[in-house]
Amino acid sequence: MAKKALNYPGVADGEKPMGPAPLSPAVVIEDFVYLSGQVGIDPATGKIVEGGIEEQTRQTMENIKALLAAEGLTPDHVVKSLCFITDVANFTAMNGVYKTYFADPKPARSTVGIVLADPTLLVEIEVIAHRRAA
């Protein structure tokens, strides 16, 4: 089973907005695309977007969309997501943005409260997509 790594469109291989972490933004194995946790960092600038949970969730989802598009997929191909939020009081606001990216039926999902490595990051989302899910 061959696997390949994906990088953000328009960002050179080896340049990741999350710094030197030993990971691939996404890995493709057969019909599945596994995305590492995405955060509210603009891949073009490497900077966290300004604003709060809604702006960071929007950037996070745009990062997810871009990685999926690199494989010819859309959010409709997502079958599972895992959301991490640093403050559960932001759950409703995060959901308000998150739900606009998915048609029904929405992906299976879990959400947990955590502490992220950078205290200015408010949300991280990872997804699994399947080519034939849409």
Side-chain angles (χ1 to χ4, degrees), residues 75-96:
D76 290 337
H77 292 92
V78 174
V79 295
K80 173 74 170 98
S81 70
L82 176 55
C83 301
F84 304 95
I85 56 176
T86 60
D87 184 347
V88 294
N90 286 330
F91 183 77
T92 301
M94 184 271 298
N95 268 337

Side-chain angles (χ1 to χ4, degrees), residues 27-106:
V27 173
V28 180
I29 300 177
E30 296 182 356
D31 286 341
F32 286 94
V33 180
Y34 299 87
L35 272 65
S36 292
Q38 300 300 305
V39 294
I41 293 176
D42 180 343
T45 66
K47 298 195 184 299
I48 298 170
V49 297
E50 292 187 20
I53 187 70
E54 291 171 335
E55 291 80 9
Q56 286 195 26
T57 302
R58 192 168 295 105
Q59 182 64 55
T60 298
M61 294 305 300
E62 290 299 319
N63 293 347
I64 289 169
K65 274 180 55 177
L67 286 166
L68 292 172
E71 273 300 297
L73 304 178
T74 71
D76 290 337
H77 292 92
V78 174
V79 295
K80 173 74 170 98
S81 70
L82 176 55
C83 301
F84 304 95
I85 56 176
T86 60
D87 184 347
V88 294
N90 286 330
F91 183 77
T92 301
M94 184 271 298
N95 268 337
V97 175
Y98 174 93
K99 71 181 179 182
T100 66
Y101 284 85
F102 297 105
D104 289 328
K106 307 262 189 283

